[in-house]
Amino acid sequence: FEATSFCNGDATNFKASVGWGTQIPSPIVDYTWDYGDGATESSANDMISHTYPSFQVYNTTLTATTDRGCQSSDTQPIQIFPYTTVDIVTEYVEGFESSNHGWVAGADIASDTSWVLGPPTGTVINSASEGVNAWWTGKNSDSYFDSEQSFVDAPCFDLTSLERPMISLDIWNDTQEDFDGALLQYSIDGGITWFSLGDVNKGGVNWYNKSGIISKPGGDQNGWSGATNGWITSRYNLDQIPIANRDQVRFRVAFGSNK
């Protein structure tokens, strides 16, 4: 099954699908959903919505039943993210000292994400920008994996109260120049589609320094690649995000490495 919309308080939409392989298809008469939060629901429709009570990971199971009584089940983790309204008074600042606060690591192949949250202990990246903790790619013996396509997902944000929103983040890059790198992306459709924020040499402070990155982090070839030789603060305006779609914005840091 597929799921969309993962912001806390928003209805998460589900769509069931059945792969028959070489078998002759039989009519599905019942879809039973166990949402992982204590709620269950049955329907003859392959599309359904559910609102989760809070932000966390819910192991959601779908069981499909045919008119002959045959059943098949699928379980997937559904991550619900915090939903924060940012305005001129309530800015959003995160240092990760007490918890991940809804930031979650993932990858195209889940076992291949090297992102960890904690004190950096690498040969080069060996401290946080402030405090103790940072997200860093150190799961593979204090480094990242070959052929990695991973990311750290941020919570959901309502930016409608801001006329000229801007994002600022501290980064320390130590990757194989031109081959490996990272960039920042945003989504306005619940994480279905991701857009790269900004470009090389087109505004911002300490923004992307490389085009043509071979590993294509997040599917793009622009980003940070090479060595920053320590923590730097990068800033970029969010004018690129359409004003009409700023009520539910998600961000992610996408990372890619070559073989």
Side-chain angles (χ1 to χ4, degrees), residues 77 105-115 139 145 147-151:
D108 290 348
I109 302 175
S111 62
D112 287 347
T113 177
S114 63
W115 288 100
K139 196 173 183 179
F145 295 101
S147 302
E148 182 174 337
Q149 289 293 330
S150 62
F151 47 82

Side-chain angles (χ1 to χ4, degrees), residues 2-154:
E2 297 178 348
T4 58
S5 298
F6 304 104
C7 297
N8 189 33
D10 195 23
T12 300
N13 303 311
F14 295 93
K15 180 174 175 56
S17 60
V18 177
W20 293 100
T22 59
Q23 300 180 35
I24 300 174
S26 297
I28 304 295
V29 297
D30 180 76
Y31 297 94
T32 297
W33 300 86
D34 182 339
Y35 296 112
D37 60 356
T40 60
E41 193 170 2
S42 294
S43 173
N45 196 325
D46 63 352
M47 299 179 67
I48 203 165
S49 297
H50 178 71
T51 301
Y52 288 95
S54 61
F55 64 89
Q56 66 177 66
V57 177
Y58 297 92
N59 289 318
T60 299
T61 300
L62 165 65
T63 301
T65 304
T66 71
D67 62 347
R68 295 175 177 268
C70 298
Q71 291 186 328
S72 180
S73 297
D74 181 30
T75 300
Q76 297 182 27
I78 302 298
Q79 175 71 51
I80 302 301
F81 294 92
Y83 188 29
T84 301
T85 297
V86 185
D87 55 38
I88 195 170
V89 176
T90 311
E91 64 177 355
Y92 179 85
V93 179
E94 182 55 73
F96 306 111
E97 290 306 299
S98 58
S99 76
N100 65 8
H101 291 151
W103 291 67
V104 180
D108 290 348
I109 302 175
S111 62
D112 287 347
T113 177
S114 63
W115 288 100
V116 291
L117 174 58
T121 57
T123 302
V124 176
I125 301 178
N126 53 20
S127 68
S129 63
E130 59 181 42
V132 175
N133 294 329
W135 280 103
W136 68 294
T137 53
K139 196 173 183 179
N140 184 27
S141 300
D142 291 339
S143 186
Y144 50 81
F145 295 101
D146 290 339
S147 302
E148 182 174 337
Q149 289 293 330
S150 62
F151 47 82
V152 176
D153 274 325

Side-chain angles (χ1 to χ4, degrees), residues 12 26 37 54 72 86 94 107 151 159 172 174 184 193 198-199 223 235 237 242 247 253:
T12 300
S26 297
D37 60 356
S54 61
S72 180
V86 185
E94 182 55 73
F151 47 82
L159 307 176
W172 186 341
D174 182 52
L184 188 74
T193 309
D199 208 336
R235 299 184 181 91
N237 67 66
D247 59 329
V253 177

